[in-house]
Amino acid sequence: MRQIIALGGGGFSMEPENTLLDSYILKQSGKENPKICFIPTASGDSEDYIQRFYNFFQKQNCRPSHLSLFRPPTRDLENYILEKDIIYVGGGNTKNLLALWKDWGLDTILRKAWNQGILLAGISAGSICWFEEGVTDSYGEGLEPLSCLGFLKGSNCPHYDGEADRRPAYHNLIGAKKIQTGIAADDGVAIHYIEQEISKIVSSRPNSKAYHVACKNKVVETELHTVFLGSS
């Protein structure tokens, strides 16, 4: 079973006191003590970001590790990745993430991991990267479409409610047919895919949602059913 969990925002890096989304990710591995590997490429392998990952996950029932492409733990990246249960990709610059992954062959390794049933997850850049296209600020000022790995069909826009220009930019890009129909996620929302289908949408915040956005003569935004994890 191939799974991807795409976070619009939240998790240990944005709301470290709110454990709901990251606990959900750990549970979906189906392991009591899963091996979870953080890939912080999009942040330039920020030491602070890596430390925040360990600050949270070392307190959970899991075995955390990380993969830095600036300080690789091994020459055998494929075996290093394929022996994990969960791969968690951090936020930052998606364009740089994709360029580095392709240069190191990590894009191919991650597709193999996905095909082998290793759970892939990520926030912001780590969400966009799995789709065919994403809305990114990787180029600096403004938001633009970016071609990504294409594990999941369509486009993705994170931080839908967290950044004022995200929603209008996504609508404009879809309306102008500069980007495909896709899924937008508020901060605090995780979209759980099994194969190519959305299995469940969950949130760590009671009012956060996900949306399907398409162009049918005009841009149509449809709110999707989202389960607040704090209510259970």
Side-chain angles (χ1 to χ4, degrees):
M1 181 174 69
R2 300 185 301 180
Q3 300 184 80
I4 293 177
I5 299 178
L7 280 68
F12 74 91
S13 62
M14 288 183 65
E15 43 185 16
E17 302 306 315
N18 188 337
T19 66
L20 293 172
L21 290 184
D22 291 329
S23 295
Y24 179 85
I25 289 171
L26 289 174
K27 188 175 180 182
Q28 304 318 305
S29 73
K31 305 286 181 67
E32 287 189 11
N33 192 29
K35 298 176 184 175
I36 180 168
C37 180
F38 181 49
I39 304 183
T41 314
S43 68
D45 289 345
S46 162
E47 289 291 344
D48 174 70
Y49 204 1
I50 293 167
Q51 190 56 54
R52 280 185 283 152
F53 167 78
Y54 283 111
N55 287 345
F56 177 80
F57 284 99
Q58 282 178 337
K59 298 173 186 174
Q60 312 306 313
N61 291 325
C62 64
R63 288 170 282 172
S65 61
H66 75 280
L67 171 61
S68 168
L69 294 180
F70 291 87
R71 294 170 297 281
T74 174
R75 288 179 178 269
D76 190 352
L77 297 184
E78 182 166 325
N79 279 335
Y80 187 79
I81 289 293
L82 296 182
E83 60 98 19
K84 303 297 190 288
D85 301 304
I86 304 169
I87 303 298
Y88 196 136
V89 180
N93 190 302
T94 318
K95 183 173 175 59
N96 289 344
L97 171 151
L98 293 168
L100 280 167
W101 282 7
K102 288 174 183 176
D103 193 59
W104 284 80
L106 197 57
D107 55 336
T108 302
I109 294 169
L110 288 169
R111 183 175 286 275
K112 185 176 289 188
W114 182 51
N115 286 330
Q116 290 185 12
I118 295 170
L119 173 61
L120 305 181
I123 178 173
S124 192
S127 171
I128 292 167
C129 67
W130 310 120
F131 291 81
E132 290 178 309
E133 295 178 310
V135 178
T136 183
D137 56 5
S138 295
Y139 297 93
E141 187 176 346
L143 292 163
E144 299 180 45
L146 180 70
S147 295
C148 300
L149 296 176
F151 294 11
L152 297 173
K153 297 185 186 306
S155 68
N156 178 235
C157 180
H159 305 304
Y160 203 51
D161 68 338
E163 298 175 8
D165 53 349
R166 286 278 174 171
R167 183 181 250 113
Y170 197 38
H171 281 215
N172 289 339
L173 290 169
I174 287 179
K177 295 183 166 50
K178 292 181 178 179
I179 198 170
Q180 298 179 61
T181 290
I183 301 294
D186 289 342
D187 287 341
V189 169
I191 305 163
H192 185 179
Y193 286 83
I194 296 179
E195 300 298 338
Q196 291 292 328
E197 301 299 322
I198 295 174
S199 170
K200 192 173 185 179
I201 301 172
V202 297
S203 74
S204 61
R205 306 176 187 183
N207 298 315
S208 294
K209 303 291 181 183
Y211 306 85
H212 180 265
V213 186
C215 185
K216 304 171 183 176
N217 298 319
K218 64 176 183 177
V219 175
V220 178
E221 177 185 285
T222 306
E223 183 179 307
L224 302 174
H225 177 65
T226 305
V227 177
F228 173 49
L229 292 170
S231 62
S232 58

